[in-house]
Amino acid sequence: MFSLFDCTLTLPTPPLSLSFSLHRHGSAAFPLPLHLRRCRLKPPNSYPSPFSDDPPEAPEDTSHGVSKFHQIQRQANKARRLQEEDFEKHKSVYLDAIRDLHDAPDDEPAALDSDRGYEDDAEFGGIDRALAVKRKEFVKQGLLEPNPPPKQEEEEELGEEELGDLEEIEALDGIRAKAKAAKAADDDENDDEDDVKVGDEDKGGDEDDDDILLGLEEEKIRIVEPKFKMTLAELLDECKVVPVSVYGDLEVEISGIQHDSRMVSSGDLFVCCFLKEENGDGGKVYLTEADKRGAVAVVASVEVDIEESLACKALVILEDTNAALPKLAASFYRYPTQDMSVIGVAGTEGRTTIAYLIKGMYEAMGLRAGVLSSVAYYVHGNNKLESTDNTVPELDSVSVQKVMATMLHNGSEAVVMETSVRELSLGRCEELDFDIAVFTDLIVDRDADPAASEEQYRGAYAKLFSKMVDPERHRKVVNIDDPNAAFFVAQGNINVPVVTFAIENKKADVHALKFELSLFETMVLVNTPQGILEISSGLLGRHNIYNILAAVAVGIAVGAPLEEIVRGIEEVDAVPGRCELIDEEQTFGVVVDHAKTPSALSRLLDSMRELKPKRIITVVGCCGERERGKRPLMTKIATDKSDVTLLTSDNPAHEDPLDILDDMLAGVGWTMQDYLKHGQNDYYPPLKNGHRLFLHDVRRVAVRAAVAMGEEGDMVVVTGKGHDMYEIEGDKRNFLDDREECREALQSVHELHRAGIDTSEFPWRLPESH
């Protein structure tokens, strides 16, 4: 029996529960390609029963003098007897059913798993194993014949071409062994080093062999974090920071740099940065803590009044530590971005997807490309920089230089980086050496920052484009469908080449000639200065056409071959949690997206409606303990733009999920009592606009119900979490991945259909589909 749901929602009467036991060649855009130039929580009952004060009734004795053990023993004997009778009655049917199976080997269960391949099937492996063992028992009883011995296949002589292939394979195996041995030797050397200079690489093997191996397969590498050491005097001289005053020994050796006193360790330089409203008091607290944690030197602002002596060996007073921090960090980590090609992607929408597409395109060109995005950090290929809590830490002026140095040390040749308004405004990208600046669009997100303005956004993005000053090396890539395009084109040096892209404006260098949108793929015909490209992508929606065009424009800007542009883009069939298509060969679309603000949800549903689905079924939730004001608005948008809306929880934390749902119901003018009244006769109460509404406080149940509700031509949209793989309930962070819940639900429905069960009779279906 297949179980779609194993969770039950407990609500007051009436109860609401769900329980289910091209490609054309073209010349480069510029004489020399740029890429070659720098290489569960169950809620309490919110409505107590009026009979809760009645005394409890005494339990009824149903054992009739027979102990529980003897009751179970009697039941087991009866079941065994019925089973034996059924076997004797239908013996021929049972024997025929397993006659052609393989016997279990003598050394089972281990041999059974490896020889028969059952370990690869987590759901049915145990069943197959039991059948094999049962057949072996019938063989011993003489009811079945043993399996005939396997036929030995005759070895055929290899032809000349096959012999040549074999020799080539053996040669590649030798290269692989050689490369692995060289890498192990290199790793051992790195572990023993106390001081690593970025750019000094000991590859330890033949470069041609290494290139062949990288082209043959993408291997996971052990990411090595480089170590740095320099004296305080060298650091100040290198970064050209002029101190107001200096105390102590400037020749003290520094092995790290921190601006968070909680992260200081022995040997670090602590740069004391604080907000103006803290005045000098905040600085004193930070200095004291850093000193206790072992900072060997301190850089502080003139505003900090240091009354007590510090145990550190050196003290440097600067006019503004906040302004000096990016320079100090870049100098300490030896300016890693100067030795890589760095692409910055700025804009409100599409930054993450564009970053992934550019990474894929660079890798198609044979370059090791990394990415710094809001989803994950990758050194290159599938080599991910993991954090201790499996989250993506926010980069600051110090950590961004450290990550860049790690990427360079581990072989990255190019890095694609999302540059947000916050990062640019705080100066975190000041000392990053960008080669290409990409502008997607400018939409002020007042859901995230009510005080935000268009001028603030323009000023932040202008910081990136103002770095484009060298016509030989720098490039600007701009979406000219956006009214702010001319402003960004004018930033920096106006002689820096610009590559434009657009859907509507056919004067753009890169524009869409034709495109087709569907529930499962996007087809686009792209015009470029070097030829016409035909691209098929698993990235859905009109907004992803802009993302694809942006990546193509970057490829044109660096002189990439058209074939590699197309191949790199088409290989990116999904971006984690960004309108990510879940494909289990179902006849309806399922996407998971991180949209968690009213504006983002509205844009997402508008994009899905453009795909012309029969119905849109949306799962939406709101976080607990914050942003209560947006809860009704999220429901209003979802119910207006979806045919069916399923309200649920999304990280309720310490707040009762039912209270969150009660707030969300206000978006349709209901309370929880109103919903329950409607639900007495109709599982999905009709709204005034004819759409339907359903709620469940357990998110995984709501997600699975939405997927199970899908029919041919529908689009199921699961919003809120995106790539996040946890649910915060109380103080616990429990594993929950919307994408995996969708896949498991799809597989369960497939099994029901294969078993001949008509799921249209299940209670999750809408009345009109019965």
Side-chain angles (χ1 to χ4, degrees):
M1 178 177 181
F2 301 97
S3 176
L4 184 62
F5 308 128
D6 57 4
C7 300
T8 302
L9 170 66
T10 303
L11 284 174
T13 305
L16 174 62
S17 65
L18 276 179
S19 179
F20 298 92
S21 296
L22 117 171
H23 311 263
R24 299 178 183 173
H25 295 268
S27 60
F30 301 97
L32 182 63
L34 281 180
H35 64 277
L36 298 178
R37 298 186 182 186
R38 294 199 307 166
C39 291
R40 178 176 133 32
L41 178 69
K42 188 171 183 177
N45 196 330
S46 302
Y47 309 93
S49 169
F51 306 105
S52 58
D53 295 333
D54 291 353
E57 297 182 2
E60 181 182 356
D61 181 15
T62 58
S63 61
H64 305 291
V66 182
S67 69
K68 189 68 175 178
F69 173 78
H70 287 94
Q71 290 183 50
I72 296 173
Q73 191 175 40
R74 287 180 180 180
Q75 293 173 0
N77 290 336
K78 181 179 179 180
R80 190 180 300 109
R81 184 172 65 255
L82 292 174
Q83 187 178 24
E84 291 173 354
E85 292 175 355
D86 182 71
F87 176 74
E88 291 298 329
K89 184 177 179 180
H90 304 97
K91 180 187 293 185
S92 61
V93 175
Y94 289 126
L95 295 178
D96 288 341
I98 62 174
R99 190 179 304 278
D100 296 331
L101 297 179
H102 291 285
D103 292 333
D106 295 332
D107 55 342
E108 57 90 22
L112 190 64
D113 286 343
S114 60
D115 295 347
R116 303 306 182 196
Y118 299 148
E119 62 182 354
D120 294 334
D121 194 335
E123 189 170 359
F124 298 104
I127 299 174
D128 294 337
R129 183 183 297 111
L131 290 173
V133 172
K134 179 60 69 175
R135 191 190 190 286
K136 190 172 183 180
E137 292 179 4
F138 289 159
V139 170
K140 291 180 180 180
Q141 297 173 15
L143 298 175
L144 290 174
E145 295 292 332
N147 293 134
K151 294 181 180 180
Q152 297 292 334
E153 295 184 1
E154 297 182 1
E155 296 186 1
E156 298 180 0
E157 293 187 3
L158 299 177
E160 293 183 4
E161 294 184 1
E162 293 169 318
L163 285 171
D165 293 340
L166 181 60
E167 292 176 359
E168 185 176 347
I169 291 171
E170 291 173 349
L172 290 173
D173 286 340
I175 293 172
R176 182 182 289 104
K178 180 180 177 182
K180 287 183 178 179
K183 180 180 180 302
D186 189 36
D187 288 345
D188 292 339
E189 183 176 333
N190 287 331
D191 290 340
D192 295 335
E193 282 184 339
D194 291 329
D195 186 9
V196 176
K197 292 185 178 181
V198 176
D200 295 338
E201 299 180 14
D202 180 14
K203 297 186 178 179
D206 191 291
E207 292 185 5
D208 292 337
D209 291 351
D210 191 36
D211 289 341
I212 293 174
L213 181 60
L214 285 170
L216 183 67
E217 59 182 343
E218 178 65 44
E219 291 189 353
K220 297 281 286 185
I221 65 170
R222 184 172 70 88
I223 298 175
V224 178
E225 186 173 303
K227 300 176 183 178
F228 296 86
K229 285 186 178 180
M230 64 171 61
T231 66
L232 180 57
E234 291 173 336
L235 178 60
L236 294 175
D237 183 62
E238 181 73 24
C239 69
K240 304 296 189 294
V241 171
V242 180
V244 175
S245 57
V246 177
Y247 306 93
D249 182 12
L250 289 182
E251 296 302 317
V252 61
E253 192 173 60
I254 300 166
S255 58
I257 182 169
Q258 293 289 348
H259 68 103
D260 186 342
S261 58
R262 299 167 298 180
M263 304 299 293
V264 171
S265 58
S266 179
D268 284 351
L269 166 69
F270 175 62
V271 183
C272 184
C273 301
F274 57 92
L275 302 175
K276 291 183 178 180
E277 52 266 28
E278 293 175 327
N279 296 319
D281 296 334
K284 293 178 184 179
V285 174
Y286 303 150
L287 284 169
T288 302
E289 183 176 9
D291 192 44
K292 291 179 180 179
R293 290 179 178 271
V296 296
V298 168
V299 175
S301 170
V302 293
E303 298 178 9
V304 179
D305 182 17
I306 304 173
E307 298 175 351
E308 300 179 3
S309 62
L310 300 175
C312 62
K313 297 180 180 180
L315 171 63
V316 177
I317 302 298
L318 299 179
E319 191 70 33
D320 186 353
T321 53
N322 292 284
L325 181 62
K327 299 178 182 179
L328 291 167
S331 179
F332 180 78
Y333 289 107
R334 313 292 173 84
Y335 301 97
T337 57
Q338 291 183 357
D339 295 309
M340 296 184 291
S341 179
V342 184
I343 302 97
V345 184
T348 306
E349 293 185 301
R351 294 194 311 268
T352 304
T353 301
I354 292 172
Y356 271 74
L357 290 170
I358 297 174
K359 175 180 181 291
M361 183 176 62
Y362 268 67
E363 289 176 341
M365 291 189 285
L367 298 175
R368 295 184 181 97
V371 67
L372 298 180
S373 75
S374 55
V375 171
Y377 305 152
Y378 285 93
V379 172
H380 54 77
N382 293 321
N383 298 290
K384 187 177 182 180
L385 279 170
E386 301 285 357
S387 62
T388 54
D389 57 355
N390 293 322
T391 61
V392 181
E394 185 178 16
L395 294 176
D396 53 44
S397 301
V398 177
S399 59
V400 70
Q401 296 288 348
K402 183 177 182 180
V403 169
M404 288 290 190
T406 300
M407 298 175 79
L408 176 64
H409 183 67
N410 288 274
S412 296
E413 298 168 286
V415 179
V416 192
M417 179 181 179
E418 289 188 47
T419 55
S420 67
V421 170
R422 175 178 169 81
E423 290 169 337
L424 291 166
S425 299
L426 294 176
R428 296 173 179 176
C429 302
E430 285 298 321
E431 294 300 316
L432 297 180
D433 193 359
F434 290 95
D435 295 90
I436 301 174
V438 182
F439 170 68
T440 65
D441 62 355
L442 196 159
I443 301 174
V444 179
D445 187 3
R446 291 191 174 86
D447 292 327
D449 183 4
S453 66
E454 185 172 313
E455 290 72 21
Q456 177 188 351
Y457 277 48
R458 283 161 58 104
Y461 297 151
K463 289 185 176 183
L464 172 63
F465 278 82
S466 65
K467 294 175 177 286
M468 303 294 106
V469 296
D470 185 355
E472 291 294 321
R473 181 165 69 89
H474 293 148
R475 298 291 182 268
K476 304 172 187 176
V477 177
V478 178
N479 171 17
I480 60 173
D481 277 347
D482 189 282
N484 297 280
F487 172 80
F488 295 108
V489 169
Q491 300 303 306
N493 188 341
I494 60 173
N495 295 318
V496 169
V498 179
V499 180
T500 59
F501 67 95
I503 293 180
E504 305 298 337
N505 193 332
K506 302 307 178 184
K507 294 182 180 180
D509 300 316
V510 176
H511 61 267
L513 295 173
K514 180 182 178 182
F515 60 86
E516 294 180 4
L517 304 175
S518 75
L519 299 180
F520 304 103
E521 68 175 348
T522 299
M523 301 286 293
V524 57
L525 201 63
V526 183
N527 184 74
T528 78
Q530 309 306 321
I532 296 175
L533 309 180
E534 184 178 350
I535 298 175
S536 174
S537 174
L539 305 177
L540 305 183
R542 181 185 178 89
H543 62 286
N544 271 318
I545 296 179
Y546 275 108
N547 298 336
I548 291 171
L549 294 175
V552 171
V554 171
I556 296 299
V558 300
L562 297 185
E563 295 86 352
E564 293 171 357
I565 293 177
V566 175
R567 179 159 55 89
I569 291 175
E570 289 188 338
E571 286 180 355
V572 181
D573 56 358
V575 176
R578 300 304 187 265
C579 201
E580 183 176 355
L581 177 65
I582 308 300
D583 186 5
E584 294 291 331
E585 300 183 356
Q586 72 275 9
T587 60
F588 55 92
V590 178
V591 298
V592 174
D593 192 86
H594 74 307
K596 57 180 62 184
T597 64
S599 58
L601 178 63
S602 180
R603 291 194 299 266
L604 173 64
L605 295 178
D606 287 341
S607 179
M608 294 299 99
R609 185 62 69 182
E610 277 193 283
L611 306 184
K612 295 180 171 50
K614 290 182 178 178
R615 297 182 302 169
I616 293 180
I617 303 168
T618 302
V619 178
V620 61
C622 292
C623 297
E625 301 181 340
R626 58 189 177 94
E627 298 179 333
R628 295 191 61 176
K630 79 174 186 180
R631 294 173 183 175
L633 187 55
M634 293 288 282
T635 302
K636 173 67 174 173
I637 292 171
T639 53
D640 283 347
K641 300 190 175 187
S642 309
D643 300 274
V644 182
T645 300
L646 294 92
L647 306 183
T648 188
S649 61
D650 186 354
N651 297 332
H654 293 278
E655 188 172 359
D656 189 334
L658 293 180
D659 290 339
I660 299 174
L661 292 173
D662 203 10
D663 289 341
M664 294 182 71
L665 284 171
V668 292
W670 285 358
T671 65
M672 183 68 73
Q673 294 285 8
D674 295 328
Y675 175 80
L676 294 175
K677 179 182 66 176
H678 282 287
Q680 290 179 349
N681 301 313
D682 191 342
Y683 224 74
Y684 304 94
L687 301 172
K688 293 180 180 178
N689 58 8
H691 297 168
R692 297 279 177 155
L693 181 67
F694 166 75
L695 65 82
H696 204 294
D697 65 328
V698 180
R699 185 177 181 89
R700 62 184 302 270
V701 176
V703 171
R704 292 185 174 220
V707 172
M709 198 182 299
E711 295 179 338
E712 184 174 356
D714 290 343
M715 174 58 79
V716 178
V717 184
V718 182
T719 70
K721 291 196 176 298
H723 66 284
D724 289 341
M725 295 185 291
Y726 58 85
E727 176 87 337
I728 299 175
E729 298 174 338
D731 294 324
K732 296 181 180 179
R733 177 177 290 201
N734 302 319
F735 176 81
L736 179 65
D737 188 339
D738 284 348
R739 298 165 297 179
E740 289 304 310
E741 295 299 328
C742 289
R743 291 188 182 100
E744 291 181 12
L746 286 168
Q747 292 165 6
S748 297
V749 172
H750 289 338
E751 296 300 333
L752 293 171
H753 291 170
R754 281 197 287 268
I757 298 175
D758 182 8
T759 56
S760 66
E761 296 301 321
F762 279 28
W764 63 58
R765 294 288 176 174
L766 297 181
E768 56 264 27
S769 65
H770 284 178

